[in-house]
Amino acid sequence: MQLQRKDILGLQDMTADEIGLILDTAISHKEILSRPVKKVPILRGKSICTLFYENSTRTRTSFELAAKIMSADTTSISVAGSAVNKGESFKDTLLTLEAMGIDLFVIRHSASGSSHFASQTVKSCVVNAGDGTHEHPTQGLLDMLTMVENKERLDGLKVVIVGDIMHSRVARSNIWGLSRMGAQVRVCGPSTLLPAEIDKLPVQKHTNLDEALEGADVVNILRIQLERMDRGFFPSVREYCRLFGINKQRLRKCADDVLVMHPGPMNRGIEIAPDVADGEFAVITDQVTNGVAVRMALLYLLLGGGSTNVASA
Ligand code: CP
């Protein structure tokens, strides 16, 4: 099977077969990461541009590593230091870079829908690396890969997403992807941080964390966006931590082999206790490693070919 797409813009419209293909391809590509020489020639001659209008450590670095491991040429554009600071528009920036021969753009932008706009503006491939509060599809995929590796299934898995659901593109991509793959998704947070459209999403809604965690196979903990604190979404950080912070005691409500996940960056001591972040159930660094594998898989499927067999590369 081949991925019949030019772009990866979100998981909302992705089929279970497409998600399965990406996860299978990521599993086969992950082996390359354990080789002494992490280099394969699959994308030689391809040019990839990471175009980030917002900060990033994990997403940007893992896309660049993935591209380099596969021998693609990479160019990295930040708003600081580019002609965007002289007032160049998003459209002109895209057209300028495409004219230089970019085959695939990886784009992070504060505006929801920016990757859709980019996909209609350029003929090159576009991968959404996070657009506003809309979607972060590669995070959703790497989270699913981490669940599959540890639980050997997604179908029927009880996954609780805790925190600021309203502003979280990670939550939306997890909700769409996991529900498409048959998982039971529960979301939990203060009612002020649950989006107005929550009842239209394929989730169970909770405002009581202990109820939400009952029998959970996976707890995916979202970052509290401290930069939004001044808008009064919850009374205080201390209050948030008391009601929605994940600590060891709370984990006892979950399944015995619960997975603790966090997309990063973490606010240790707020949404996640330090001994949970570093504890036996946490797979947070595994998520980061899987981010490289998933991004290799996507670059390969969009630019390189359709087979999942890279063992001979
Ligand atoms: N999870 C995530 O998107 O992290 P970065 O902001 O560091 O890319």
Side-chain angles (χ1 to χ4, degrees), residues 52-65:
F52 276 56
Y53 286 73
E54 285 187 335
N55 296 335
S56 168
T57 297
R58 281 148 284 268
T59 311
R60 182 176 199 149
T61 310
S62 58
F63 264 114
E64 288 176 11
L65 274 173

